[in-house]
Amino acid sequence: MCKKICVSLLFILCSLTVLSCCQMPTYNLSDGGTPSQALSEFLDAVIRGDNASIKDMVYNFSWNSDYLTDSSVSDSDISPSDAEIISCISKSRKYEIVSESNYAPHGHNAEVTVNYTTFNVTEFEQKLAEKAVAIIQRRQYEGEVFKDASDTVKIIEETKLQLLKNPEIFYTTQKYTVEMVSYKGKWRVVLSDEFYKALSGYSI
């Protein structure tokens, strides 16, 4: 009886040993954290405008990271309204990690789902065009004559600033599934065209 118990215990121990050896590795790398942590660090770098960190955290970087920060323009290059748009993009950025999943053996690839919020430049420009055209047409109907392009440019600039008084109406939240790759001991972002556009505030 005692011998049978010993044999049974030995079988259980051997089974546990085999299972522990065959267990799939977790997301966590020795020095690279988890995919969700890596994506959070990347998005935090985008929010604070850290170009060096952005480039270091992306696996396949082939875009201009300046479009993700304020460094693509200088104050002397842009109008007051465009400067305000850049500020709105920076202030609006926020994210929420929804989930992560591993879809390849050995934990070298993963997907992280994130809700990302930003000021949507495309929607803003559509609304701007509608309002500016309506204002110009109304003034022309009332008999106003526009001497040159500077008159319409002035109307567009005034309309921009008026719309930007309530920037929240142009905030967009979208869900994205971001591919992550472990490379040189760290999880890195595979930056798709779609997600890159979102990070830029849909400005490109």
Side-chain angles (χ1 to χ4, degrees):
M1 180 68 179
C2 193
K3 184 176 179 181
K4 289 183 178 179
I5 293 174
C6 290
V7 171
S8 298
L9 287 173
L10 182 61
F11 176 77
I12 292 171
L13 289 171
C14 289
S15 299
L16 290 173
T17 302
V18 170
L19 287 172
S20 65
C21 292
C22 296
Q23 188 177 9
M24 290 294 291
T26 62
Y27 292 125
N28 196 65
L29 300 177
S30 59
D31 61 349
T34 67
S36 293
Q37 290 170 342
L39 181 59
S40 293
E41 290 174 5
F42 168 73
L43 293 175
D44 288 341
V46 171
I47 290 171
R48 68 175 181 268
D50 186 347
N51 266 332
S53 295
I54 290 170
K55 292 177 180 178
D56 181 62
M57 295 177 189
V58 175
Y59 176 71
N60 60 330
F61 203 89
S62 58
W63 295 271
N64 186 352
S65 62
D66 289 347
Y67 287 111
L68 306 184
T69 67
D70 297 345
S71 58
S72 60
V73 293
S74 63
D75 292 339
S76 60
D77 296 333
I78 59 176
S79 66
S81 63
D82 287 337
E84 184 61 26
I85 288 173
I86 293 172
S87 175
C88 286
I89 294 172
S90 297
K91 292 176 181 178
S92 67
R93 286 170 170 154
K94 63 180 181 179
Y95 66 92
E96 176 190 13
I97 300 296
V98 178
S99 63
E100 67 177 24
S101 59
N102 193 6
Y103 63 89
H106 312 304
H108 292 301
N109 298 83
E111 287 182 337
V112 179
T113 301
V114 59
N115 288 329
Y116 186 76
T117 301
T118 186
F119 181 89
N120 191 319
V121 174
T122 299
E123 291 186 2
F124 173 81
E125 289 178 341
Q126 291 172 348
K127 189 65 175 179
L128 170 64
E130 292 174 7
K131 288 189 71 69
V133 168
I135 291 170
I136 291 170
Q137 289 178 338
R138 175 175 57 79
R139 289 190 181 182
Q140 287 177 329
Y141 179 78
E142 293 172 351
E144 186 172 345
V145 177
F146 298 103
K147 297 179 181 179
D148 52 44
S150 63
D151 291 336
T152 56
V153 169
K154 182 180 178 181
I155 291 174
I156 292 171
E157 181 72 7
E158 291 172 349
T159 306
K160 275 186 181 181
L161 292 171
Q162 186 66 32
L163 288 173
L164 289 170
K165 290 182 178 179
N166 298 294
E168 294 83 5
I169 65 176
F170 301 106
Y171 284 14
T172 297
T173 300
Q174 294 278 0
K175 181 177 288 186
Y176 295 93
T177 298
V178 182
E179 184 181 354
M180 306 292 292
V181 174
S182 63
Y183 178 68
K184 294 184 178 180
K186 292 184 179 181
W187 287 104
R188 301 177 194 274
V189 178
V190 178
L191 193 56
S192 66
D193 291 345
E194 184 183 22
F195 196 42
Y196 176 65
K197 290 177 182 178
L199 296 177
S200 72
Y202 305 97
S203 62
I204 54 175

